[in-house]
Amino acid sequence: MGEQGGRSGKRAANRPTGATASAKSARPSGKPVKASAAPAAKPAKPESHLAMVRRARRINRELAEVYPYAHPELDFRNPFELLVATVLSAQTTDLRVNQTTPALFAAYPTPEDMAAAVPEKLEEIIRPTGFFRAKARSLMGLSAALRDDFGGEVPGRLADLVKLPGVGRKTANVVLGNAFGVPGITVDTHFGRLVRRWKWTEQEDPEKVEAEIAAIFPKSEWTMLSHRVVFHGRRICHSRKPACGACPIAPLCPSYGEGETDPEKAKKLLKYEMGGYPGQRLSPPPDYPGIPAPPLGAG
């Protein structure tokens, strides 16, 4: 980690200033992104833990300005719908889940209804999300548990949620943070990839990642930090070809240069509202600046 922190200083010093400017022009709303001055080149030296924490918190502040509208990208109206949608989101996109759940919740609006579903009919509805047989078993199992053990209500405690079939710590934190207002860090593939790319942690295990990141930020920031990081990973800091030249936090990133650094080429890589395309939600929050996603089969 130490040597990479030093190397990032050299990269940032030689970085083209168009990276931040391009990100400003691509940004759909909110306060203007502040241009970060590139640090002067210094001899390579380890980044201290304190310096990393300060850099991490600054990245979080910058992301808060870029994505003031960050939100969970699953459509839901109550804790049960969010729980079901999150279980369905495994190994597929939030968009495909959002296109599938309207019919699902029309047929099975409550845990009691879903627990009594005919498996084949439930499977057919959720087939577009993939792994539909395993997911149907999980949905019927967790619905039966909610009916039998929790009076048909989704519990608001981590210890209870993780006992439900198909519900792990990641799913539980999504539900707690967004349906109950209980702070939590959601370590999905985007979150884990970015926090390692930013050298906040070297851990691969999601629970260890969660613990290390939780130690960096105040508890009050955990839920929104998760949304901001995931938003950035989906829109700019992609897995195979990050849009480095259009990234507003490029001067703070020790991995700058892994992706496209030319501002114009990088701008073409931007996704969802950053690139002017539909988002993942059919019913996004009122302050979302992008285009709602189309229903299933609408293109």
Side-chain angles (χ1 to χ4, degrees):
M1 177 191 296
E3 291 184 352
Q4 291 171 351
R7 285 197 295 270
S8 69
K10 289 185 176 181
R11 282 196 295 267
N14 297 320
R15 187 170 306 150
T17 56
T20 303
S22 178
K24 284 184 184 179
S25 63
R27 190 165 168 237
S29 70
K31 299 178 181 179
V33 178
K34 297 177 181 177
S36 302
K42 296 179 180 179
K45 65 178 181 179
E47 181 182 44
S48 69
H49 179 73
L50 177 59
M52 181 275 290
V53 169
R54 287 174 173 168
R55 179 171 58 81
R57 291 183 176 181
R58 185 176 174 190
I59 287 176
N60 183 42
R61 292 194 299 272
E62 295 285 336
L63 293 180
E65 292 194 0
V66 178
Y67 309 109
Y69 50 85
H71 59 270
E73 294 192 89
L74 289 168
D75 286 327
F76 70 98
R77 295 170 296 184
N78 54 58
F80 176 62
E81 290 190 358
L82 179 58
L83 176 61
V84 169
T86 307
V87 170
L88 288 176
S89 69
Q91 305 299 315
T92 191
T93 63
D94 287 357
L95 170 60
R96 184 49 57 92
V97 174
N98 292 335
Q99 291 174 325
T100 302
T101 50
L104 176 65
F105 294 132
Y108 311 108
T110 69
E112 292 81 1
D113 295 321
M114 196 167 289
V118 175
E120 292 76 14
K121 291 184 178 180
L122 176 59
E123 290 172 3
E124 189 58 31
I125 293 175
I126 66 172
R127 180 186 289 268
T129 69
F131 302 95
F132 56 92
R133 291 190 179 88
K135 289 179 180 180
R137 288 194 296 271
S138 292
L139 294 185
M140 294 185 69
L142 71 84
S143 295
L146 293 177
R147 178 196 62 195
D148 298 340
D149 302 333
F150 298 99
E153 300 292 332
V154 176
R157 296 196 319 144
L158 179 68
D160 293 329
L161 284 168
V162 295
K163 292 178 182 177
L164 299 173
V167 178
R169 192 176 181 92
K170 183 192 80 170
T171 296
N173 277 331
V174 170
V175 173
L176 290 173
N178 298 287
F180 292 99
V182 178
I185 293 175
T186 303
V187 183
D188 69 356
T189 54
H190 297 287
F191 189 94
R193 173 169 56 80
L194 264 63
V195 297
R196 284 187 290 272
R197 185 171 275 174
W198 293 334
K199 313 304 179 188
W200 294 0
T201 181
E202 295 180 353
Q203 299 293 340
E204 296 283 345
D205 178 79
E207 287 196 29
K208 292 180 179 178
V209 171
E210 180 185 342
E212 290 201 1
I213 304 306
I216 296 174
F217 296 93
K219 193 172 184 179
S220 60
E221 286 289 308
W222 290 355
T223 299
M224 287 309 300
L225 169 72
S226 299
H227 290 323
R228 293 165 191 153
V229 173
V230 171
F231 257 58
H232 194 64
R234 286 174 170 169
R235 286 151 177 77
I236 296 178
C237 195
H238 312 133
S239 176
R240 286 182 287 185
K241 198 170 184 180
C244 294
C247 180
I249 61 166
L252 300 171
C253 181
S255 299
Y256 175 85
E258 287 186 6
E260 180 58 65
T261 58
D262 179 84
E264 290 305 314
K265 292 180 180 179
K267 189 175 179 179
K268 295 177 181 179
L269 300 174
L270 301 179
K271 295 183 178 179
Y272 302 115
E273 75 279 0
M274 289 300 193
Y277 304 112
Q280 299 207 82
R281 292 188 68 163
L282 279 66
S283 301
D287 63 342
Y288 176 62
I291 306 168
L296 192 65

